[in-house]
Amino acid sequence: MPTVEKVMVPTTDGKQMLTWVLLPPDFDQTKKYPAILYCQGGPQQAVSQFWSFRWNLALMAAKGYIVIAPNRRGLPGFGTEWNAQISGDYGGQNMRDYLSAVDFVKQRPYVDAAHVGAVGASYGGFSVYWLAGNHDNRFACLIAHAGIFNTESQYLETEEMWFANWDLGGPFWDKSNPVAQRSFANSPHKFVDRWNTPILITHGEYDFRILASQGMMAFNAARLRGVPAEMLVFPDENHWILKPQNAILWQRVFFRWLDRWLKPEAQQQVNS
């Protein structure tokens, strides 16, 4: 099992953010390790002691990665204001929180700052798509599962209208609504012209909360931009990958992608 550290990271607005840092088993501080930024979904879900055969932080660390898991704006456990701030501010302070956590942790001498990835599902997938166009070359690869890529199309196609109206602020055609207009102006697809980072996209075709078309748009955008990209579609899964055999495939593709871009020496050995 990994070692879990509690780190307090200064945020851009002068607050302190609890960030979990997982160190690989048999950690050696004289070596350098690639790192993964874990972007939580929800978006209002705690980064806690959950277990999953998909988003398993201990398994990520066991594969030789330092895992950075920030309790960014929007997560419960740190007061109502902290929890509620994300609603109507997708692409705002919580994204700056992610970048603050990465910048803080990668200063450690045992973090390979040139090989940091970002991964996430649902709102975490939105986060990865948004970061793809706004990370200033912090990341060497990205993985997005079931994420929102285009908030305008998401507003009209989701079966979960509460998120669309509450978290995004309302319809994109309401020009008199500043909250909604800010949300749609920060849609990840608006920043595709800056995409330059290899990205893996996964999605289930039974997902009616965030349709697989969102992932397909993102995949096509990356390929049209000349960005290395792969897409894994599960015809028999919904917003979550629930079937055990599908989860095994998901994990294999997940770590194959991370290892390809974040462990160049290991990849050279495979190729040779």
Side-chain angles (χ1 to χ4, degrees):
M1 293 297 291
T3 299
V4 181
E5 293 186 347
K6 174 183 177 181
V7 178
M8 301 306 294
V9 174
T11 63
T12 57
D13 59 345
K15 294 178 169 52
Q16 293 287 313
M17 174 176 60
L18 190 154
T19 298
W20 303 115
V21 177
L22 285 75
L23 304 176
D26 302 317
F27 173 72
D28 182 349
Q29 64 180 356
T30 66
K31 297 180 179 180
K32 279 192 177 291
Y33 295 84
I36 303 170
L37 171 69
Y38 171 71
C39 302
Q40 176 69 309
Q44 298 92 352
Q45 287 182 335
V47 179
S48 186
Q49 297 185 67
F50 57 82
W51 186 90
S52 169
F53 49 56
R54 289 163 290 118
W55 295 97
N56 191 311
L57 305 187
L59 181 57
M60 296 177 198
K63 289 286 189 176
Y65 292 98
I66 291 174
V67 182
I68 307 166
N71 286 271
R72 47 107 181 120
R73 233 54 62 97
L75 269 61
F78 306 94
T80 303
E81 179 184 354
W82 188 277
N83 188 200
Q85 193 280 330
I86 194 172
S87 298
D89 194 35
Y90 281 21
Q93 182 60 48
N94 57 304
M95 294 298 171
R96 292 189 285 274
D97 289 347
Y98 281 140
L99 297 177
S100 294
V102 170
D103 291 345
F104 189 86
V105 175
K106 76 178 185 182
Q107 294 177 23
R108 297 182 173 187
Y110 46 78
V111 176
D112 183 353
H115 294 98
V116 180
V119 305
S122 194
Y123 182 79
F126 169 95
S127 301
V128 169
Y129 290 147
W130 191 92
L131 290 169
N134 295 280
H135 67 91
D136 295 324
N137 296 317
R138 286 175 173 87
F139 301 114
C141 79
L142 306 166
I143 298 177
H145 172 73
I148 301 171
F149 171 71
N150 184 324
T151 53
E152 291 189 4
S153 58
Q154 166 72 8
Y155 184 83
L156 294 176
E157 66 187 12
T158 183
E159 48 83 46
E160 182 59 271
M161 288 305 299
W162 183 88
F163 281 105
N165 283 318
W166 180 261
D167 267 19
L168 296 179
F172 57 85
W173 57 80
D174 185 357
K175 304 301 183 183
S176 64
N177 184 337
V179 174
Q181 291 307 307
R182 179 176 61 184
S183 293
F184 294 108
N186 271 291
S187 176
H189 83 283
K190 297 288 183 70
F191 307 103
V192 166
D193 60 309
R194 306 178 196 170
W195 281 26
N196 62 0
T197 308
I199 186 168
L200 167 67
I201 296 161
T202 65
H203 223 113
E205 287 195 303
Y206 283 163
D207 188 348
F208 303 119
R209 177 165 299 177
I210 301 175
L211 269 63
S213 56
Q214 293 283 328
M216 294 172 185
M217 284 189 285
F219 173 73
N220 284 342
R223 293 300 295 265
L224 290 169
R225 286 277 303 151
V227 174
E230 288 185 7
M231 185 169 189
L232 174 60
V233 178
F234 293 90
D236 56 347
E237 296 284 8
N238 55 46
H239 197 55
W240 301 270
I241 307 303
L242 300 176
K243 295 179 172 62
Q245 290 298 319
N246 286 341
I248 291 172
L249 173 60
W250 188 91
Q251 291 284 3
R252 287 175 176 167
V253 173
F254 181 87
F255 285 111
R256 183 184 68 189
W257 187 257
L258 291 176
D259 290 350
R260 175 180 175 184
W261 301 104
L262 301 185
K263 296 180 179 179
E265 294 182 1
Q267 190 63 36
Q268 289 175 5
Q269 292 176 0
V270 171
N271 293 337
S272 61

